[in-house]
Amino acid sequence: MRSRLLAAAAAVAVLISGCGAGDDWSEPHEKPSAAGTLGPGFHDPATPPSPEATITPRPGSWDDVRPPAGYRVVLLTTGQDAQTKTLVNAVTEWAEAEDASLRTVTAAAPAEYVERISGAIALKPDLVISAGNALVDPLALVSASHLDQQFLVVGAELAEPTENVTAADWTGASFRGEGLGMSSAYDPASFTPERAGRAVRAGVAAVLNGLTGIVVWLD
């Protein structure tokens, strides 16, 4: 398995771009912890969400949570549709604002999806953020075998996520895989820069606080 991951990492090397903190990712990296705390209304601390549960945080309850400087993130993306571009821009802007160390892995065709996901994992980031509906099914296939790697899906969700896959979603962003497809509530116009930015911040806040394997639902 390790050799396959290393090979996948080598295969995607030419497709990786980076920005943010000047971290070359070559040195060991301590497990990150959140800077700041979740505000009231993000979830009920007395009854933590169960696996695959959906929480609807109070707007702004994630505002005080920040990743540590140099937080290592791989943005895994595919597709040139307007919705995916909006999500990609939101992740990039968040990384720049938070001084996160961001690398982007792009999958150009379905035959590349699993290989690109494996390559992203082999980079050993703190978090892999997925943007693009076409990655949902491949992520469901790969993520369950890598429970030590945290994933955040923005603008979509896995039908049956494992404990390491969190989603940030909203009405209008309802894709859950090819078998389930898009519901009648799917609305491309709901993918606004403002909503995508909130989804990234709320989703990362959940991951940093150990609230993983759930859906963070935005109003």
Side-chain angles (χ1 to χ4, degrees):
M1 178 63 72
R2 178 177 173 80
S3 62
R4 289 199 297 271
L5 287 174
L6 290 174
V12 301
V14 295
L15 298 174
I16 295 174
S17 59
C19 66
D23 182 359
D24 67 5
W25 295 32
S26 63
E27 298 296 327
H29 190 60
E30 293 184 4
K31 183 178 180 180
S33 58
T37 57
L38 293 169
F42 191 87
H43 75 110
D44 183 357
T47 56
S50 59
E52 300 184 35
T54 297
I55 63 172
T56 305
R58 181 180 299 167
S61 57
W62 55 81
D63 285 350
D64 290 338
V65 178
R66 297 285 185 272
Y71 188 61
R72 294 176 180 177
V73 178
V74 169
L75 168 59
L76 179 66
T77 184
T78 188
Q80 294 299 313
D81 56 281
Q83 301 91 274
T84 299
K85 289 181 178 179
T86 297
L87 296 172
V88 167
N89 288 339
V91 175
T92 301
E93 292 173 3
W94 164 82
E96 291 176 349
E98 299 300 337
D99 197 28
S101 183
L102 179 67
R103 295 185 176 187
T104 301
V105 173
T106 302
E112 301 175 353
Y113 293 161
V114 171
E115 180 181 56
R116 300 298 184 254
I117 295 169
S118 297
I121 294 169
L123 292 171
K124 299 182 179 180
D126 299 315
L127 181 64
V128 174
I129 301 181
S130 174
N133 285 345
L135 289 168
V136 167
D137 287 326
L139 274 173
L141 177 66
V142 177
S143 60
S145 299
H146 300 279
L147 297 179
D148 57 341
Q149 174 62 62
Q150 292 297 326
F151 296 86
L152 172 64
V153 180
V154 288
E157 60 187 87
L158 272 60
E160 297 182 2
T162 45
E163 63 191 42
N164 57 322
V165 183
T166 305
D169 213 353
W170 59 86
T171 300
S174 53
F175 187 78
R176 300 178 70 201
E178 292 296 338
L180 298 173
M182 299 178 186
S183 76
S184 59
Y186 185 78
D187 180 9
S190 71
F191 286 74
T192 64
E194 186 275 336
R195 184 175 283 113
R198 284 193 289 125
V200 173
R201 291 188 175 278
V204 172
V207 172
L208 285 169
N209 281 274
L211 301 170
T212 61
I214 63 171
V215 175
V216 179
W217 192 261
L218 306 176
D219 291 331

